[in-house]
Amino acid sequence: ATLMATTALAQDYPDRSITMVVPFAAGGPTDTVARLVAERMSADLGQQIIVENVGGAGGTLGAGQVAAAEADGYTVLLHHIGMATSATLYRNLAYSPADGFAPVGLVTEVPMTIVARKDLEPADFPALMAYVKENADTITMANAGIGAASHLCGMLFMQAVDAPIVTVPYKGTGPAMTELIGGQIDLMCDQTTNTTEQIKGGTIKGYAVTTPARLDIFPDMPTVAEGGFPGLEVSVWHGLYAPAGTPPEAVDRLATALQAALADPGIATKLAELGTAPSPAADATPAALKAKLDGEIARWKPIIEAAGVYAD
Ligand code: MLT
């Protein structure tokens, strides 16, 4: 009877709406990617995907909620590089980033930009770095908590200027952006999915991109390496996860829907406008995300340990 019930479940999946947890505030970069993909996945699955924002603690609150959820395919998590960095940054996580989830597939990889309030003095990126070093005790930098991409980039930024800066944590860089535009905070390193429109609109200042090459959307903006800081290179890969123990049939069905979404030309166009692109279909698979996650946990561990940044 159990076997029949399991088979029926797999065949009927999904027969009701699915919750996609975004571990950061609404309106920010992760939310933007999630909502784009969720809408197209819903069409493929024939069931609605409801995006739920569970911000706080650098993405670990939302991730923990999904790790503890019923492993039935009806709760999933869209998270980014923070899944890998939090494995080292947090000493007492209630879940295991490496083993607490069933990876579904990679979604996209997003460049970051070093941005500032629009009236910050320095004219270009090298001048900014000198200015920040000089004024490290008064400059403020926003991030989305320990484990956020903005936190990771901020950590590399402080290593680059060789000075500690006062950081202000938010539940996501969506709300942080509001304060940067308002001039209540000086600096941020944030994903192009959140900064492109503001830089182009002139409501904030864009200084450099964190990719090895310049971006088509900002041909005049230098790379961090061009400015003399190659150590600031970082890209924010995103993945889709279900809780560990989710039936493989459901995970595979989610992966098929993810691949359909990423193949949608409308999504590719929208992501290109924001400086990024969908992951290729071959990467939108459980095996590819598992390999990426394990590789990235190992890659960032010594860098974080050398920086000596931890949370409990
Ligand atoms: C967000 O969606 O708010 C971000 O991805 C935050 C971050 O990781 O910097």
Side-chain angles (χ1 to χ4, degrees):
T2 310
L3 184 66
M4 275 181 64
T6 308
T7 309
L9 176 89
Q11 277 171 357
D12 294 344
Y13 176 82
D15 65 2
R16 57 188 166 86
S17 65
I18 296 169
T19 299
M20 181 184 282
V21 171
V22 168
F24 295 101
T30 318
D31 186 66
T32 297
V33 169
R35 283 176 200 272
L36 259 179
V37 167
E39 192 186 349
R40 184 59 185 79
M41 282 182 71
S42 295
D44 190 76
L45 292 165
Q47 292 291 343
Q48 221 199 326
I49 297 181
I50 298 154
V51 173
E52 189 188 334
N53 299 87
V54 183
T60 60
L61 272 186
Q65 183 171 312
V66 173
E70 190 100 37
D72 56 6
Y74 291 96
T75 306
V76 297
L77 171 73
L78 201 144
H79 201 350
H80 60 32
I81 191 169
M83 186 70 116
T85 56
S86 59
T88 304
L89 286 166
Y90 286 81
R91 298 189 218 246
N92 295 304
L93 277 186
Y95 62 94
S96 162
D99 303 317
F101 301 89
V104 175
L106 280 157
V107 177
T108 182
E109 185 152 332
V110 183
M112 301 193 87
T113 42
I114 314 264
V115 295
R117 61 178 162 82
K118 65 176 183 299
D119 49 359
L120 200 74
E121 211 172 279
D124 58 24
F125 179 55
L128 173 77
M129 297 305 267
Y131 178 87
V132 171
K133 194 175 168 64
E134 190 98 330
N135 298 280
D137 50 340
T138 56
I139 290 276
T140 54
M141 188 168 202
N143 69 35
I146 296 179
S150 46
H151 168 267
L152 180 67
C153 185
M155 187 187 89
L156 301 175
F157 187 89
M158 285 182 221
Q159 285 176 341
V161 294
D162 196 23
I165 305 164
V166 175
T167 53
V168 184
Y170 297 80
K171 283 192 174 172
T173 52
M177 178 59 76
T178 306
E179 303 235 316
L180 191 71
I181 294 167
Q184 289 99 334
I185 193 125
D186 299 318
L187 271 181
M188 181 156 67
C189 180
D190 192 22
Q191 299 161 70
T192 53
T193 34
N194 201 40
T195 61
T196 299
E197 217 176 292
Q198 303 306 334
I199 294 169
K200 292 200 170 188
T203 58
I204 62 172
K205 226 164 168 171
Y207 281 98
V209 293
T210 64
T211 38
R214 289 192 184 197
L215 301 179
D216 289 345
I217 52 166
F218 295 123
D220 298 330
M221 201 184 293
T223 67
V224 287
E226 282 177 72
F229 296 93
L232 256 171
E233 277 176 14
V234 57
S235 285
V236 186
W237 54 275
H238 293 62
L240 183 66
Y241 304 83
T246 300
E249 296 83 359
V251 173
D252 288 344
R253 184 65 192 92
L254 287 165
T256 309
L258 174 62
Q259 288 153 17
L262 298 181
D264 188 306
I267 289 189
T269 303
K270 185 74 201 156
L271 289 175
E273 284 166 9
L274 297 172
T276 179
S279 293
D283 289 343
T285 62
L289 177 54
K290 173 77 182 138
K292 180 76 171 179
L293 176 63
D294 289 348
E296 287 278 291
I297 290 174
R299 178 184 163 216
W300 288 104
K301 189 171 191 284
I303 299 171
I304 292 164
E305 285 174 347
V309 191
Y310 294 105
D312 285 313

